[in-house]
Amino acid sequence: MREGKKIAILSLGTRLEEALKAAEVLEAKGLSTTVADLRFAKPLDVDLIRKLLTTHEVAVTIEENSVGGFGAHVLTMASDEGLIDGGLKLRTLRLPDVYQDQDKPEVQYAEAGLDATALVDTVLKALRHNSGGVAEARA
C-alpha cells in the first residue's frame, strides 16, 4: 500500500486503514514506513514477508485474531529462517485473550490495542528497546 525503509506494518484483514493512519503519524516523526496488505494468512506470502523482515528495522503484524493467528505464523517463519537473529524488532498486535464488553467498534478496537495509536506506540517502544531513544534509532 506504501513503501518505506525503517518500519514495516503487515496488516491482515480490516485493520488496514488504521495501519495507514499509523504510517502517516510515523512518517511525520521521520520514520519511513511500509504498509503491506497481506490479504491471506494461508498460505503465507513468504517471499513478501521475508523481503519486509530483512529490509526493515521494526516489523509489526496487526490482525483481528487471537494468539496463534497470522502474527504467530510470521513469528514462526522468522524464527525458522533466522530472520530475527540480526536484531529485527518483530511485534504482533492481535485481539487480547479477554472478554470485551460490547461498544462502538472504534472503542473496542482501541481497548484491544488494534488502532493507529496502539500501532504507533508499539513501533516507538520497539525502537527504544536496547536503544538510546527514537532519535538515535532513526540514524
Side-chain angles (χ1 to χ4, degrees):
M1 302 302 296
R2 68 182 290 156
E3 288 191 40
K5 296 179 180 171
K6 190 164 195 76
I7 312 301
I9 300 172
L10 292 72
S11 176
L12 177 71
T14 64
R15 301 291 74 216
L16 182 59
E17 184 177 336
E18 293 299 309
L20 291 168
K21 287 178 187 176
E24 289 295 326
V25 173
L26 293 165
E27 288 282 348
K29 294 180 180 294
L31 298 168
S32 180
T33 303
T34 295
V35 176
D37 181 10
L38 290 147
R39 299 178 51 135
F40 306 101
K42 290 303 243 166
L44 282 180
D45 186 343
V46 293
D47 292 335
L48 176 59
I49 294 169
R50 184 180 301 113
K51 178 183 174 190
L52 293 171
L53 299 186
T54 58
T55 59
H56 292 78
E57 183 178 333
V58 175
V60 180
T61 66
I62 184 166
E63 64 184 302
E64 286 182 41
N65 204 343
S66 59
V67 173
F70 171 69
H73 290 296
V74 171
L75 284 169
T76 299
M77 181 202 133
S79 175
D80 289 350
E81 295 191 12
L83 302 178
I84 52 178
D85 296 349
L88 170 71
K89 296 165 180 74
L90 181 56
R91 305 293 188 267
T92 63
L93 295 179
R94 66 220 170 268
L95 290 171
D97 191 21
V98 298
Y99 175 79
Q100 218 178 348
D101 288 325
Q102 287 292 99
D103 208 324
K104 294 178 183 175
E106 60 271 12
V107 172
Q108 287 187 278
Y109 288 128
E111 287 175 355
L114 294 177
D115 62 358
T117 300
L119 258 169
V120 170
D121 289 346
T122 298
V123 167
L124 296 179
K125 285 177 186 172
L127 285 171
R128 286 186 202 108
H129 185 74
N130 294 331
S131 170
V134 174
E136 290 176 19
R138 277 192 236 143

